[in-house]
Amino acid sequence: MEEYIVSARKYRPTTFDSVVGQLALTTTLKNAVRSGKLAHAYLFCGPRGVGKTTCARIFAKAINCLTPTDDGEACGHCESCQAFNEQRSFNIFELDAASNNSVEHIKTLMEQTRIPPQVGKYKVFIIDEVHMLSTAAFNAFLKTLEEPPAHVIFILATTEKHKILPTILSRCQIYDFERMTVQGTIDHLKYVAQKEGIQYEDEALAVIAEKADGGMRDALSIFDQAASFCQGNITYQKVIEDLNVLDADNYFRIIDLSVENKVSDVMVLLNSVINSGFDAGQLIGGLAKHVRNVLMAKDPQTLPLLEVSQQQAERYQEQARKCETRFLYQALRLMNQCDINYRQSANKRLLVELTLIEIAQITQPDDGASAGRSPKRLKTLFKQLIQQPRQPKPAPQVAAAGVAESPTSAPAQAEAIPVIKSIQQPQSPAPSAERASAAAIATSRPQLKAAIGTSWNTLLQNGKPQQTAAEEEKLKTEEHEKFTDEQLQFQWLSMCNRMPPQLLGIATRMKSMVPVITEFPAVEVVADNQLAGEELEKIRRRIQLTLQKTLHNTGITFAVRVAERKEPVKVLSRREQYEELEKQNPSVAKLREVFDLELA
């Protein structure tokens, strides 16, 4: 039976022309060999599996070739090439810096540089993973690297160039290897599959190429795994099953359902994906990449940025025609925010579900009714406010909190304030038994906010509340409506939120206080200390008038009471505790005398 060799080794390039995806770099190296203008040190850097060590071997073989071709390739027939192919060359040395990173290893290497080559022109030292050398080893290597013998050439390879000392970098010619493109990887996998006689589907090879993430060695390893699982017929379904990759059809379905606002179907699809063993965070990451590809497919200029097969690119273009650009932008923003918060979230599935619900409602009309639909956006409200014709309004005869509006206030300002305030006002659902009363309160709320805001400013300017005759008359004719503790507390918090910035300190304290109905309609609040009580007394009358107006009851009285301080309790020592115990129970003293006990 023929010995099995993995594809990454079997199809490893042996010439510059067979190297995949590094055309500019290989052309430069061939020209250097052809012209004989060789540097004494080269640094090959780039991601894993892109051909750094392979190119280093091909370059070393071409340097020592006795009869190179006209285009700079090794002939493959001379003694030097034959010795290299049979792995018996004494002119080419490979050193793994990951396991030989000490000063002693470098000194041994430097001693070998003194011996001239027996066959060929140069001794070539290939040092792989050179960034693993210690600082002391780098320093020992530095002098030889700067002025090596004429017959010595160093080729260094690394995946992490930033870890190499700048003094080393400055003495090398640096070649940056590119990542393999998806299409380039697919083409090479097709070549290998044809050589091996393996049937394949283009979509299956595209999945392998995307999974390899730019590394040809990884792609060939995954190809061997898939070929073994599929038994010579690599199909899309078998590949995603073998590699445990989420089917791209799920992403297409989620976007199609989201555009149609089918939230329930999206939730069912999410549940099936999670039950299949896939992580919800993995779904969000894949969906974000999918939406990015759809966005790139909308414009012919960005279409080449798609690193997918031709069939997949056509599917992205088809879905891009269905999706608005605004929808794609907002969906990407929501998924990016979900990805940021995913690790810190205690309920990760709920976070993903909320994100998908918001995505599915992006294209839903603002006045549409749906589960979880957020209210109209502030931008829409302000737009409607700007479009409405502004009619001058007469000053209201009755202020909301018992004080008339300032006659100098502009009508436009009085009109704009209710809208802005209504946005800031938090909405709280009223109890079912009090819906009618709460609706009446909510109807007049915008006008109340503007008037109450003016009243607080008047109080700050004058130092005491004022009330017009019209306001007094209105309060006298007001109905005495019933109100509950819940309604009282809601209006209390609303009043605290409306208080001007000058009263921010007392407003913050008031939010922690809970007003209670002592004897209807009398209202009382307890202040924590004397200072807070004095501050409340200064605005007590204004608070009372505000509660009367917002709760539609002119009989409300408001009182402030300072919490009583309890007498400090003396902390007794152990001896004092024992003496108290003896007074309460004389038997304890007798027991101490009988056993001759002493208090510790």
Side-chain angles (χ1 to χ4, degrees), residues 61 64-66 78-85 89 91 119-120:
K61 178 182 176 182
N64 276 320
C65 180
L66 300 179
C78 65
E79 174 60 25
S80 177
C81 293
Q82 290 292 337
F84 177 83
N85 294 336
S89 175
N91 295 337
V119 179

Side-chain angles (χ1 to χ4, degrees), residues 191-496:
Y191 167 77
V192 175
Q194 292 173 0
K195 287 287 186 179
E196 294 292 326
I198 298 175
Q199 302 295 324
Y200 61 86
E201 293 181 359
D202 290 345
E203 293 184 355
L205 298 184
V207 172
I208 295 175
E210 292 177 8
K211 186 76 172 180
D213 194 24
M216 185 61 71
R217 182 173 61 239
D218 293 353
L220 290 172
S221 300
I222 298 173
F223 175 83
D224 289 343
Q225 176 183 342
S228 177
F229 178 77
C230 300
Q231 292 296 313
N233 185 16
I234 302 178
T235 62
Y236 175 77
Q237 291 297 332
K238 290 184 178 180
V239 167
I240 63 174
E241 180 183 354
D242 181 37
L243 302 181
N244 195 28
V245 177
L246 185 59
D247 192 352
D249 288 340
N250 292 292
Y251 302 137
F252 283 99
R253 289 178 58 195
I254 289 176
I255 297 303
D256 289 337
L257 294 173
S258 299
V259 172
E260 299 172 3
N261 309 128
K262 296 181 178 180
V263 178
S264 302
D265 294 340
V266 173
M267 292 295 101
V268 173
L269 180 57
L270 172 63
N271 184 69
S272 65
V273 169
I274 295 177
N275 290 340
S276 299
F278 294 99
D279 183 59
Q282 180 183 357
L283 172 66
I284 287 294
L287 186 60
K289 182 178 180 181
H290 173 83
V291 174
R292 177 261 181 193
N293 290 343
V294 175
L295 184 62
M296 295 298 104
K298 288 189 72 68
D299 193 337
Q301 294 182 352
T302 57
L303 189 60
L305 298 179
L306 295 181
E307 295 185 348
V308 295
S309 62
Q310 185 62 31
Q311 294 180 352
Q312 286 289 89
E314 293 176 358
R315 291 191 66 184
Y316 281 121
Q317 286 181 297
E318 181 182 356
Q319 189 170 73
R321 287 190 286 268
K322 302 178 184 178
C323 302
E324 298 179 0
T325 305
R326 180 182 63 88
F327 167 79
L328 298 176
Y329 284 154
Q330 296 191 19
L332 281 175
R333 178 180 57 80
L334 291 172
M335 285 184 288
N336 180 64
Q337 191 64 33
C338 177
D339 183 60
I340 294 174
N341 299 330
Y342 188 79
R343 291 185 179 181
Q344 289 77 22
S345 176
N347 193 339
K348 293 179 171 55
R349 175 166 181 169
L350 178 60
L351 175 64
V352 173
E353 288 176 344
L354 291 175
T355 302
L356 294 179
I357 289 174
E358 291 186 64
I359 294 174
Q361 294 180 343
I362 292 175
T363 59
Q364 182 172 309
D366 289 340
D367 56 351
S370 176
R373 181 61 180 166
S374 59
K376 293 183 179 181
R377 300 175 179 84
L378 302 183
K379 180 179 178 181
T380 306
L381 289 176
F382 283 110
K383 183 177 180 181
Q384 293 177 353
L385 175 63
I386 295 172
Q387 292 176 350
Q388 289 178 356
R390 297 192 175 186
Q391 301 281 344
K393 294 184 179 180
Q397 296 299 322
V398 181
V403 176
E405 268 191 331
S406 174
T408 59
S409 61
Q413 180 182 2
E415 182 182 0
I417 289 177
V419 178
I420 299 174
K421 290 288 187 179
S422 63
I423 296 170
Q424 298 173 349
Q425 172 64 31
Q427 300 293 334
S428 177
S432 57
E434 302 294 340
R435 287 182 179 177
S437 176
I441 296 174
T443 303
S444 59
R445 187 171 295 136
Q447 291 79 10
L448 294 179
K449 292 172 183 174
I452 290 173
T454 307
S455 303
W456 285 111
N457 292 333
T458 305
L459 174 64
L460 290 174
Q461 294 174 1
N462 301 335
K464 60 180 181 178
Q466 296 181 357
Q467 193 170 12
T468 63
E471 190 176 14
E472 291 283 0
E473 183 66 22
K474 179 65 177 177
L475 290 175
K476 291 179 181 178
T477 59
E478 187 97 22
E479 293 183 0
H480 295 267
E481 296 185 5
K482 297 288 185 179
F483 60 89
T484 62
D485 286 328
E486 290 79 5
Q487 291 176 332
L488 171 63
Q489 294 170 10
F490 173 75
Q491 295 299 338
W492 176 268
L493 290 176
S494 300
M495 176 182 62
C496 295

Side-chain angles (χ1 to χ4, degrees), residues 57 60-66 78-94 112 116-126:
R57 292 177 178 177
K61 178 182 176 182
I63 288 174
N64 276 320
C65 180
L66 300 179
C78 65
E79 174 60 25
S80 177
C81 293
Q82 290 292 337
F84 177 83
N85 294 336
E86 296 173 5
Q87 298 182 359
R88 56 180 177 83
S89 175
F90 290 99
N91 295 337
I92 300 175
F93 300 88
E94 286 194 38
Q112 296 180 8
Q118 301 300 318
V119 179
K121 299 179 181 179
Y122 299 97
K123 267 196 170 184
V124 183
F125 295 86
I126 301 174

